[in-house]
Amino acid sequence: MATKKSVSSLKEGDLKGKKVLVRVDLNVPLDDNSNITDDTRIRAAVPTVKYLLDHGARVILTTHLGRPKGVTPKYSLKPLVPRLSQLLGLEVKMANDCIGEEVEKLVAELPDGGVLLLENVRFYKEEEKNDPEFAKKLASLADLYVNDAFGTAHRAHASTEGVAKFLKPAVAGFLMQKELDYLVGAVANPKKPFAAIVGGSKVSTKIGVIESLLEKVDILLLGGGMIFTFYKAQGHKVGSSLVEEDKLDLATSLIEKAKTKGVKLLLPTDVVIADKFAADANSKVVPASEIPDGWMGLDVGPDSIKTFNEALDAAKTIIWNGPMGVFEFEKFAAGTDAIAKKLAELSGKGVTTIIGGGDSVAAVEKAGLADKMSHISTGGGASLELLEGKQLPGVLALNDA
Ligand SMILES: Nc1ncnc2c1ncn2[C@@H]1O[C@H](COP(=O)(O)OP(=O)(O)OP(=O)(O)O)[C@@H](O)[C@H]1O
Ligand SMILES: O=C(O)[C@H](O)COP(=O)(O)O
């Protein structure tokens, strides 16, 4: 992917008095009372907005929230305004729509250094259809475009892709830049040895990532529910653990591929098993090849943690995607916690540590170690696609540097 023009290339002369449409990803989790339960994505959007405000721009923010079908009050962005205002240190105005006359009026009233948040862009079905007329209407609100919505950059939608055709320049925000620097840059040119840890529930959702990483890494550690498909492929008894019967050949071929590529592939040697899929299940540790009938593997065992830690000690760059076990249940969180702690420790010793989105980020945050890592991705699907070596439409649409 060509290097894209960054918002840092725009100076006071380019920005003062200019209306800038900024696509952010403020798709944050809300509880039943519309309280924000994790504001990471709002905090991550702040540097770009502040830069624009400091240079006298008028900022128009656009984002989606959830997957509404038409106008749905539950997915209004109103609950985000207080936190956004607090983080930016000014009163953010909010429009009840994202296009149309009322929005145009509010944009016209926006002072230099002011911020207007548009209502959920997915209230229009034209957004996800990447409808050019809708993109044109959004674009007509502004003079230039900044895309800082890394978490949505894998979607070719009107506000992430279509709009860039109508606004020049169209540049990457600081968050977008940072995500690409780590998830593309550090992965393409890693300090070696380069280790990857891949977990999560199923091998089928991680095939692309594993295959792509096998081309690049020196060490690959596998954990999570997917390991039982590998064990079964090797002829082990897996009890009632999660297995994808139609992926047994694939698991064998991935092991072969690792051998051919000279990648050190480590599967856990012991596992924590449970007599039911529940937080209060009975549990015990057994060798990975001896899971009794009626029991299921829900975490990697202590010997595996030790072996994994030793393997990671050799690495200079580490990327992690997907938990080692069912970390949502305290009893089966030890493997995931141990990886989080190890990566935090190694970060302190100068190792580049990248957490590739989704549940592994939740696990690192739960362990209170988020600020210790070199990079924590704000994108689940987007980071997965990048790790699979795919191009992201929201990035491709931006102007080359
Ligand atoms: N041994 C296991 N058996 C069953 N489920 C497991 C096991 N180990 C981990 N999981 C579950 O896998 C889920 C995470 O898998 P997933 O593939 O979504 O990972 P992820 O990398 O975080 O993905 P995404 O980025 O899409 O969120 C967790 O909810 C966890 O409980
Ligand atoms: O949370 C995400 O992964 C992004 O905001 C994209 O959301 P989507 O999967 O609904 O497109």
Side-chain angles (χ1 to χ4, degrees):
M1 198 146 37
T3 314
K4 295 297 176 180
K5 198 167 173 182
S6 161
V7 67
S8 61
S9 67
L10 304 177
K11 306 293 174 205
E12 184 109 16
D14 310 299
L15 294 169
K16 184 136 184 61
K18 293 284 168 58
K19 292 169 284 175
V20 187
L21 182 70
V22 187
R23 181 37 159 117
V24 282
D25 185 337
L26 304 186
N27 185 25
V28 292
L30 299 176
D31 67 16
D32 292 343
N33 299 315
S34 295
N35 295 308
I36 301 161
T37 54
D38 179 1
D39 68 355
T40 306
R41 282 179 163 176
I42 309 183
R43 284 186 284 112
V46 166
T48 294
V49 179
K50 279 213 165 138
Y51 179 88
L52 295 168
L53 298 177
D54 288 348
H55 290 77
R58 304 167 184 199
V59 173
I60 306 160
L61 291 177
T62 180
T63 178
H64 72 287
L65 177 72
R67 294 174 174 172
K69 299 272 166 273
V71 179
T72 321
K74 186 179 151 204
Y75 292 113
S76 168
L77 297 175
K78 288 198 182 81
L80 274 55
V81 174
R83 185 77 186 116
L84 190 58
S85 300
Q86 189 188 28
L87 286 166
L88 289 171
L90 53 78
E91 190 197 333
V92 171
K93 292 259 183 270
M94 163 122 192
N96 289 321
D97 205 333
C98 64
I99 51 168
E101 269 177 36
E102 189 217 308
V103 179
E104 283 160 23
K105 194 164 161 276
L106 288 168
V107 169
E109 288 166 2
L110 204 57
D112 291 3
V115 181
L116 176 71
L117 174 66
L118 305 181
E119 183 55 287
N120 196 338
V121 71
R122 283 194 188 168
F123 283 178
Y124 286 85
K125 62 177 182 328
E126 289 85 350
E127 159 68 358
E128 290 179 70
K129 290 203 167 115
N130 200 359
D131 179 89
E133 286 308 311
F134 179 71
K136 212 171 174 176
K137 283 183 196 157
L138 267 180
S140 72
L141 298 173
D143 302 308
L144 51 116
Y145 175 65
V146 177
N147 190 352
D148 211 18
F150 173 74
T152 327
H154 57 315
R155 309 286 184 215
H157 293 171
S159 69
T160 60
E161 203 268 349
V163 78
K165 296 192 181 81
F166 302 103
L167 282 173
K168 294 282 169 283
V171 305
F174 292 117
L175 172 65
M176 181 74 89
Q177 204 69 59
K178 185 170 180 253
E179 296 271 13
L180 296 173
D181 284 351
Y182 278 98
L183 294 164
V184 180
V187 170
N189 300 301
K191 287 180 282 170
K192 294 243 174 189
F194 179 18
I197 310 159
V198 182
S201 55
K202 293 180 183 165
V203 67
S204 53
T205 60
K206 299 290 164 81
I207 301 165
V209 175
I210 296 175
E211 285 192 327
S212 168
L213 287 172
L214 279 174
E215 304 291 336
K216 301 182 183 107
V217 299
D218 306 293
I219 306 162
L220 177 62
L221 312 183
L222 295 182
M226 73 169 75
I227 55 175
F228 304 102
T229 301
F230 284 86
Y231 293 151
K232 180 135 192 208
Q234 290 173 322
H236 297 326
K237 286 178 63 184
V238 294
S240 45
S241 306
L242 191 65
V243 169
E244 290 173 277
E245 295 289 346
D246 60 336
K247 295 288 177 294
L248 298 177
D249 290 345
L250 174 88
T252 308
S253 80
L254 289 174
I255 293 173
E256 286 305 318
K257 188 167 179 186
K259 265 192 210 137
T260 321
K261 296 273 169 199
V263 175
K264 181 173 173 179
L265 174 73
L266 292 181
L267 281 162
T269 48
D270 60 344
V271 285
V272 185
I273 57 172
D275 58 356
K276 58 178 176 182
F277 189 86
D280 64 350
N282 292 308
S283 66
K284 57 184 173 182
V285 177
V286 296
S289 55
E290 289 171 26
I291 302 174
D293 286 344
W295 290 73
M296 62 185 85
L298 293 188
D299 196 10
V300 302
D303 285 348
S304 310
I305 293 173
K306 201 161 159 272
T307 315
F308 280 14
N309 280 347
E310 281 162 13
L312 292 172
D313 274 330
K316 290 277 181 291
T317 306
I318 304 173
I319 183 144
W320 179 22
N321 179 279
M324 294 291 97
V326 183
F327 75 104
E328 296 92 338
F329 299 157
E330 213 48 56
K331 254 187 173 170
F332 308 102
T336 303
D337 280 351
I339 293 288
K341 283 202 188 83
K342 188 68 192 173
L343 265 51
E345 174 204 320
L346 292 173
S347 292
K349 295 179 180 166
V351 175
T352 304
T353 52
I354 306 166
I355 318 298
D359 279 317
S360 3
V361 173
V364 167
E365 272 162 5
K366 194 168 151 235
L369 297 169
D371 60 339
K372 299 276 192 291
M373 308 298 173
S374 309
H375 182 65
I376 293 229
S377 180
T378 55
S383 64
L384 217 55
E385 290 201 15
L386 269 190
L387 292 179
E388 288 171 6
K390 290 187 186 154
Q391 309 262 27
L392 306 184
V395 178
L396 287 176
L398 301 175
N399 300 149
D400 290 341

